C-alpha cells in the first residue's frame, strides 16, 4: 500500500507535468500535513464529530488520463445533464477530466474554463497568482488536499465579461481510494459568472473525499457559486472553501449537503474591500446515520461590507447536523451589516442538531444579528395535513419543503432548485 | 348502514376522561347539530372522530358506513370520506393553499388530478364562498384572520367533497356576514350523499343551517335529542334548564 509521503507527492506532480513552483508548494503542504495531527473530539471545532470510522490515511487515486465521449459518460451525469441549464460544463470521473463542453463564444472573449492541469499549461501566470490563496494548510485535511490533489477545475473570467448562464462541474467519485480535487475561480474587475460544482456517486465502500474551492473576486466582480453534494453512502466528504472579496465584489454562495456518510463544509467569506457583499446560503437534510458539519465564517476586514447568512436544514432517523457560524469583525470594519441565521427541523426523536452561532466584534458602529432555532416537526401541523387525507410521509415532505423554502426561493437557478427539491422529496420517503 | 355512528364512546386526555359513553348517529343525507355548554366535550368528540393522536379512546367504537375507523390513522379516515373543519385551523407557513388542496384532492381520489380539473373545482368553490382567487397562492392559514381561516376550512370542504363532515364551532368568532358565507358553503353540500355534524355553542348558526336533528351534550354524554325546535328552546331557556331536567330524570 502506498503511503502519504514525499515520493507520492512527487509522483503526482510528475504525472501531471507540473511546474517546479507547484511541486514546491505541494511539498510545503506535505510538511504541514505531516506536522498536523488528525482532529479529535478534544478540538473545539470537532467536538460533535466522530471520525473513528472515517477512512483517514486512505491511498490517493492516481490520474489515468481517461477521456470519454458524451454518450459514454456515467449514467449519474447523463441524468443530471438532462435536467440542467448550464451553458458549459466539465465532467470528472475520479481524477480525470473525461469530458468538457465550453461555448466557443465565451472562450473567444477570453473566458477560461478547463482543468487546473490544462490551465497550468495555457495560463500559468493566472493560476500561480491565485492557487492556494484561499485554501492551503489551514488544517490536516486542507494540507492533505494541497499536497496530494490530483485534479481540479479552473474558471477565469476576464474584466467586464458578464456570463449569464451558469457553468457547471460534475464530479463522479469511483470509491475505494481517496480523491482530492480543487476548484479555482478567478473573476477579474466587474466580471460576472455563475459556477455550480456537483459531486455525485453511487453508494460506495468507505471513501475519503477532499474538496477545496477558492474564489478570488477582483473589484466589482459578481459570482454566484453553488457547492452541491449528493454523494452515495460510504463517502466521507471534507470540503473547505474560501472567497476573497475585494472592493464592491459580490458573492452569492450556496452549500448543499444531502448525500454521503459524513460531510463537513468549512465555508469562509473574506470581505477585504469596502462595498463587498456576501450572501451565504446553506441547505441540508440528513437521514439514516448521516452526519453533516457546517462551519462558517463571515469575516469583515474592511469597513462598509455586508454579509447575510441563512443555513436551514432538517434531520430524520438518527441523522445529526452541526452548525457553527462565526461573524468576525476586525477593528476597522465600521458600518458593517452582518446577519446570520440557522434554522433546523427535527423529524425524529433520535435525530440531533447542535447549533452554535458566534459573534466576535472589534468595531462599534455596526449592525449585527444572529439567531438559531431548532425544533421538532409540529404535530399539530402534521395532524391538520393528515386530516385532509395526506399520508404522514407526504405531510412531512410538505413541512420539510416548507421549512427549506426560504433558502430554495433565494436560489435563482431554476433547474438547480428543481433538482434539489426532487432529491429532498426522495429523501423524505426513504 | 349509510351513516356515521358513534357507539358508547369513552375517551380521555392526560388521564382525564372527557367522553363518557357518547351515542350518536348521523345518517347520510342529513345535517345534525351538536350543541352543549362549554366543556361538555363537543370539540373533543370532533377531534377524536378525525383521529387526533392526543386523545385515548378507552371504550366504544366509531363506524363509518358500518365499518369501524377506530384503528385508522387521520389520513386514512379522511380518504374514507370523513372531514373535520377545525375550530382552530392550523397555520402552515411555506405551503400554499393551491398546492395543499391539490395534493389533498389527489390523496382523496387516489389518482393524479390535472390542473384543469383542479381549477374547475376550486373556482366553483370560490364562487360559493365569494372568495378571491388570490387566496390560493397564500400560505395555509398563515396570518389569516379568524374569519378567513373558517372560510378556508369551508373551501376545503367544498373541494374535497367528503361523505361526512364534522364542523367544529365553525361559527365562533364570525360576524353575521361571514356566518352567512359559511352557511352557504355547508348548504351547497347538502344532498343525499352528504351527512354533517355541526358542532355549535349557539343557536345562531342554525338559523342559516337548519338541522334535521339536534343533539345536546353535557358532561361527556348526549343528554337530549330532538328536532330543530330543541335548539330554539335551548336558546330561550338556557343550558341550566336542561341541566335541571337531566338531574330530575336521574
Amino acid at each position: 500500500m502506498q503511503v502519504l509521503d514525499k515520493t507520492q507527492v512527487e509522483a503526482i506532480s510528475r504525472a501531471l507535468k507540473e511546474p517546479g513552483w507547484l511541486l514546491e508548494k505541494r511539498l510545503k503542504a506535505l510538511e504541514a500535513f505531516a506536522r498536523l495531527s488528525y482532529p479529535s473530539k478534544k478540538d473545539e471545532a470537532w467536538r460533535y464529530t466522530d471520525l473513528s470510522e472515517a477512512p483517514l490515511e486512505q491511498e490517493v487515486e492516481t490520474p489515468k488520463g481517461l477521456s470519454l465521449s458524451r454518450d459514454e459518460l456515467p449514467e449519474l451525469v447523463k441524468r443530471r445533464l438532462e435536467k440542467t441549464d448550464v451553458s458549459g460544463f466539465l465532467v470528472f470521473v475520479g481524477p480525470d477530466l473525461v469530458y468538457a463542453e465550453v461555448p466557443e463564444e465565451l472562450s473567444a472573449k477570453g473566458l477560461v474554463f478547463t482543468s487546473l492541469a490544462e490551465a497550468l499549461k495555457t495560463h500559468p501566470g493566472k493560476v500561480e497568482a491565485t492557487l492556494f490563496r484561499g485554501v492551503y494548510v489551514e488544517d490536516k485535511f486542507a494540507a492533505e488536499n494541497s499536497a496530494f490533489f490530483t485534479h481540479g477545475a479552473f474558471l477565469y473570467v476576464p474584466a467586464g465579461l458578464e456570463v449569464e448562464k451558469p457553468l457547471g462541474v460534475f464530479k463522479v467519485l469511483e470509491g475505494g481510494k481517496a480523491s482530492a480535487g480543487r476548484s479555482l475561480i478567478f473573476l477579474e474587475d466587474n466580471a460576472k459568472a455563475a459556477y455550480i460544482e456537483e459531486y455525485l456517486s453511487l453508494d460506495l465502500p468507505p471513501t475519503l473525499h477532499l474538496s477545496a474551492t477558492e474564489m478570488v473576486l477582483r473589484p466589482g466582480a459578481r459570482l454566484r457559486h453553488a457547492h452541491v453534494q449528493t454523494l452515495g453512502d460510504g463517502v466521507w466528504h471534507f470540503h473547505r472553501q474560501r472567497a476573497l472579496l475585494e472592493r464592491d465584489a459580490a458573492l452569492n454562495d450556496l452549500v448543499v449537503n444531502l448525500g454521503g456518510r459524513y460531510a463537513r463544509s468549512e465555508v469562509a467569506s473574506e470581505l477585504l474591500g469596502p462595498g463587498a457583499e456576501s450572501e451565504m446560503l446553506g441547505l441540508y437534510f440528513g437521514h439514516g446515520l448521516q452526519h453533516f458539519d457546517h462551519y462558517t465564517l463571515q469575516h469583515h476586514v474592511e469597513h462598509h461590507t455586508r454579509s447575510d447568512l441563512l443555513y436551514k436544514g432538517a434531520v430524520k432517523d438518527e441523522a445529526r447536523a452541526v452548525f457553527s457560524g462565526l461573524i468576525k469583525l476586525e477593528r476597522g470594519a465600521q458600518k458593517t451589516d452582518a446577519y446570520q441565521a440557522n434554522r433546523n427541523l427535527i423529524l425524529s426523536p433520535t435525530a440531533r442538531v447542535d447549533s452554535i452561532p458566534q459573534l466576535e466584534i472589534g468595531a462599534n458602529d455596526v449592525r449585527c444579528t444572529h439567531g438559531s432555532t431548532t425544533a421538532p416537526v409540529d404535530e399539530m401541523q402534521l395532524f391538520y395535513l393528515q386530516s385532509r387525507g395526506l399520508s404522514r410521509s407526504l405531510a412531512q415532505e410538505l413541512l420539510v419543503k416548507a421549512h427549506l423554502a426560504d433558502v430554495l426561493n433565494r436560489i435563482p437557478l431554476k433547474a438547480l432548485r428543481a433538482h434539489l427539491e426532487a432529491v429532498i422529496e426522495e429523501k423524505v420517503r426513504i | 348502514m349509510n351513516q356515521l355512528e358513534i357507539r358508547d364512546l369513552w375517551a380521555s386526555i392526560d388521564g382525564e376522561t372527557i367522553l363518557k359513553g357518547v351515542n350518536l348517529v348521523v345518517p347520510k343525507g342529513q345535517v345534525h347539530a351538536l350543541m352543549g355548554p362549554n366543556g361538555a366535550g363537543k370539540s373533543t368528540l370532533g377531534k377524536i372522530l378525525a383521529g387526533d393522536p392526543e386523545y385515548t379512546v378507552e371504550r366504544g367504537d366509531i363506524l363509518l358506513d358500518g365499518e369501524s375507523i377506530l384503528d385508522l390513522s387521520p389520513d386514512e379516515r379522511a380518504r374514507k370520506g370523513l372531514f373535520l373543519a377545525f375550530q382552530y385551523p392550523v397555520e402552515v407557513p411555506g405551503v400554499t393553499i393551491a398546492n395543499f388542496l391539490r395534493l389533498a384532492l389527489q390523496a382523496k381520489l387516489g389518482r393524479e388530478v390535472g390542473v384543469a380539473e383542479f381549477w374547475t373545482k376550486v373556482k366553483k368553490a370560490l364562487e360559493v364562498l365569494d372568495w378571491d382567487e388570490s387566496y390560493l397562492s397564500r400560505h395555509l392559514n398563515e396570518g389569516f384572520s379568524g374569519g378567513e381561516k373558517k372560510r378556508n376550512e369551508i373551501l376545503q370542504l367544498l373541494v374535497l367533497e367528503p361523505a361526512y363532515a364534522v364542523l367544529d364551532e365553525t361559527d365562533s368568532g364570525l360576524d353575521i356576514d361571514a356566518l352567512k358565507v359559511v352557511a352557504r358553503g355547508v348548504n351547497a353540500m347538502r344532498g343525499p350523499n352528504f351527512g354533517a355534524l355541526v358542532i355549535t355553542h349557539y343557536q345562531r348558526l342554525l338559523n342559516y343551517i337548519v338541522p334535521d336533528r339536534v343533539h345536546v351534550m353535557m358532561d361527556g354524554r348526549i343528554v337530549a335529542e330532538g328536532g330543530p325546535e330543541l335548539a330554539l328552546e335551548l336558546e330561550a331557556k338556557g343550558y341550566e334548564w336542561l341541566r335541571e331536567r337531566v338531574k330530575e330524570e336521574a
Side-chain angles (χ1 to χ4, degrees):
Chain A
M1 183 174 151
Q2 276 175 289
V3 285
L4 299 170
D5 66 1
K6 191 176 170 193
T7 317
Q8 199 180 355
V9 170
E10 286 169 344
I12 292 169
S13 192
R14 199 166 46 241
L16 296 170
K17 301 189 177 75
E18 287 176 352
W21 67 264
L22 183 48
L23 176 60
E24 239 170 77
K25 282 276 201 183
R26 281 183 182 268
L27 291 173
K28 272 212 180 112
L30 178 68
E31 276 171 35
F33 173 70
R35 192 177 63 243
L36 294 162
S37 48
Y38 283 107
S40 76
K41 288 197 170 189
K42 285 183 203 136
D43 300 302
E44 182 57 32
W46 294 84
R47 55 184 288 212
Y48 302 102
T49 309
D50 181 5
L51 292 180
S52 60
E53 287 175 39
L56 306 174
E57 299 191 58
Q58 192 171 41
E59 181 189 346
V60 178
E61 62 190 0
T62 44
K64 298 182 285 278
L66 184 72
S67 118
L68 299 171
S69 69
R70 187 161 178 159
D71 276 351
E72 293 166 333
L73 289 175
E75 278 305 313
L76 280 174
V77 176
K78 279 197 209 158
R79 252 180 277 150
R80 286 297 300 122
L81 288 176
E82 279 165 21
K83 289 185 179 165
T84 180
D85 55 6
V86 293
S87 62
F89 61 93
L90 311 179
V91 179
F92 288 88
V93 173
D96 294 314
L97 173 67
V98 297
Y99 186 80
E101 256 182 51
V102 180
E104 290 244 337
E105 44 151 324
L106 293 179
S107 306
K109 287 176 185 158
L111 178 138
V112 182
F113 184 40
T114 183
S115 71
L116 258 181
E118 183 64 21
L120 276 163
K121 290 172 200 146
T122 56
H123 300 82
K126 292 187 172 74
V127 177
E128 188 172 0
T130 48
L131 187 67
F132 299 130
R133 273 187 63 192
V135 180
Y136 188 42
V137 293
E138 290 75 12
D139 72 354
K140 183 86 173 172
F141 296 106
E144 183 173 355
N145 184 311
S146 298
F148 295 98
F149 75 94
T150 55
H151 61 286
F154 178 72
L155 172 65
Y156 171 80
V157 186
L161 179 61
E162 300 195 358
V163 184
E164 292 301 330
K165 283 190 115 185
L167 297 163
V169 174
F170 298 93
K171 178 177 172 189
V172 181
L173 251 71
E174 296 181 296
K177 286 188 180 178
S179 182
R182 306 180 75 92
S183 283
L184 177 56
I185 304 164
F186 181 12
L187 268 57
E188 293 277 19
D189 293 33
N190 302 312
K192 183 182 174 191
Y195 181 100
I196 303 171
E197 48 186 281
E198 282 195 37
Y199 298 85
L200 317 159
S201 84
L202 304 168
D203 289 348
L204 298 174
T207 299
L208 182 70
H209 183 234
L210 304 172
S211 74
T213 299
E214 302 173 281
M215 296 170 251
V216 177
L217 275 59
R218 302 275 295 150
R222 283 165 294 159
L223 174 68
R224 181 169 291 283
H225 168 257
H227 172 96
V228 178
Q229 72 85 1
T230 53
L231 291 159
D233 193 20
V235 181
W236 294 67
H237 174 76
F238 295 83
H239 173 67
R240 182 182 279 272
Q241 73 176 49
R242 194 199 239 156
L244 309 175
L245 286 83
E246 299 182 21
R247 179 185 285 268
D248 297 324
L251 170 69
N252 298 86
D253 186 60
L254 170 70
V255 169
V256 178
N257 278 311
L258 294 170
R261 165 69 181 76
Y262 170 76
R264 184 184 183 91
S265 302
E266 306 205 18
V267 177
S269 281
E270 307 273 356
L271 301 151
L272 305 172
E277 272 189 36
S278 179
E279 176 193 48
M280 299 160 78
L281 301 175
L283 196 72
Y284 47 95
F285 181 20
H287 78 279
L289 292 171
Q290 285 183 320
H291 180 133
F292 298 147
D293 282 341
H294 301 92
Y295 284 76
T296 64
L297 173 66
Q298 295 155 265
H299 193 187
H300 295 260
V301 178
E302 268 289 356
H303 59 93
H304 287 91
T305 56
R306 189 170 188 282
S307 69
D308 184 2
L309 178 144
L310 177 63
Y311 271 56
K312 289 191 92 166
V315 281
K316 66 179 214 175
D317 305 333
E318 291 170 60
R320 288 192 63 172
V322 177
F323 172 83
S324 174
L326 174 63
I327 298 177
K328 188 174 176 181
L329 271 57
E330 295 298 338
R331 210 178 302 175
Q334 300 294 12
K335 304 283 181 192
T336 290
D337 273 346
Y339 305 97
Q340 183 195 89
N342 173 232
R343 315 249 174 257
N344 300 290
L345 184 66
I346 298 190
L347 298 172
S348 93
T350 46
R352 178 176 162 174
V353 175
D354 294 282
S355 180
I356 313 114
Q358 297 167 83
L359 213 53
E360 207 181 295
I361 300 187
N364 53 19
D365 185 11
V366 298
R367 273 199 307 187
C368 287
T369 63
H370 64 161
S372 144
T373 53
T374 299
V377 64
D378 186 330
E379 284 296 330
M380 284 298 294
Q381 291 180 341
L382 270 183
F383 174 54
Y384 185 64
L385 298 177
Q386 276 187 274
S387 80
R388 298 299 182 252
L390 273 57
S391 68
R392 197 173 166 89
S393 74
L394 184 56
Q396 284 199 339
E397 178 185 319
L398 266 188
L399 294 180
V400 170
K401 279 210 288 199
H403 173 69
L404 302 177
D406 37 358
V407 171
L408 287 166
N409 292 340
R410 274 165 73 172
I411 307 169
L413 307 166
K414 264 192 188 164
L416 178 62
R417 196 168 68 202
H419 171 58
L420 296 177
E421 281 176 355
V423 177
I424 291 164
E425 277 169 26
E426 226 173 88
K427 280 178 74 92
V428 178
R429 288 175 195 158
I430 291 174
Chain B
M1 292 292 256
N2 282 338
Q3 59 187 28
L4 169 64
E5 182 183 359
I6 300 152
R7 202 183 273 172
D8 189 29
L9 194 67
W10 293 68
S12 65
I13 184 165
D14 300 331
E16 190 192 345
T17 305
I18 311 281
L19 301 186
K20 300 165 182 171
V22 177
N23 287 292
L24 200 161
V25 174
V26 180
K28 196 177 269 182
Q30 294 190 11
V31 172
H32 288 202
L34 178 64
M35 301 186 70
N38 288 327
K42 306 185 302 288
S43 285
T44 296
L45 180 65
K47 287 187 221 168
I48 287 172
L49 289 171
D52 190 335
E54 295 271 310
Y55 294 87
T56 311
V57 172
E58 289 163 351
R59 243 169 73 187
D61 209 347
I62 303 164
L63 303 149
L64 205 66
D65 295 338
E67 193 186 327
S68 174
I69 58 166
L70 216 48
D71 293 332
L72 301 186
S73 61
D75 50 305
E76 288 168 327
R77 296 178 191 206
R79 292 197 295 271
K80 285 213 178 280
L82 189 67
F83 181 95
L84 171 68
F86 280 52
Q87 183 179 6
Y88 302 107
V90 181
E91 298 195 13
V92 190
V95 177
T96 65
I97 293 181
N99 182 20
F100 165 63
L101 252 186
R102 184 149 166 240
L103 287 172
L105 187 61
Q106 291 184 161
K108 164 91 196 305
L109 300 176
R111 62 171 171 85
E112 285 280 311
V113 174
V115 177
E117 181 187 352
F118 176 69
W119 279 98
T120 312
K121 248 185 145 81
V122 171
K123 279 202 175 134
K124 234 173 81 187
L126 286 170
E127 261 169 43
V128 172
L129 296 175
D130 192 19
W131 224 24
D132 196 83
E133 212 177 283
S134 63
Y135 276 95
L136 296 175
S137 53
R138 295 206 23 201
H139 291 166
L140 198 47
N141 294 322
E142 190 186 21
F144 279 23
S145 69
E148 286 171 325
K149 282 181 181 171
K150 297 299 171 74
R151 213 184 279 220
N152 188 22
E153 293 295 282
I154 303 303
L155 173 71
Q156 295 171 44
L157 173 78
L158 290 171
V159 172
L160 298 176
E161 298 184 293
Y164 298 96
V166 178
L167 288 91
D168 188 4
E169 305 220 6
T170 303
D171 53 332
S172 68
L174 294 189
D175 61 32
I176 198 73
D177 290 329
L179 193 75
K180 283 180 182 167
V181 170
V182 162
R184 201 158 69 221
V186 176
N187 288 329
M189 286 290 296
R190 283 184 102 143
N193 296 316
F194 177 70
L197 184 65
V198 179
I199 298 174
T200 179
H201 185 78
Y202 302 105
Q203 193 273 338
R204 192 176 67 144
L205 176 66
L206 305 180
N207 290 332
Y208 303 97
I209 305 174
V210 181
D212 297 296
R213 295 283 292 170
V214 175
H215 311 260
V216 185
M217 192 179 222
M218 273 184 186
D219 193 27
R221 59 177 76 88
I222 304 295
V223 295
E225 288 182 304
E229 71 285 349
L230 177 59
L232 293 168
E233 199 174 359
L234 274 174
E235 177 81 353
K237 298 182 179 170
Y239 286 110
E240 277 312 307
W241 155 77
L242 191 62
R243 201 185 295 278
E244 290 305 316
R245 206 186 77 182
V246 171
K247 260 191 216 158
E248 279 165 29
E249 282 169 8

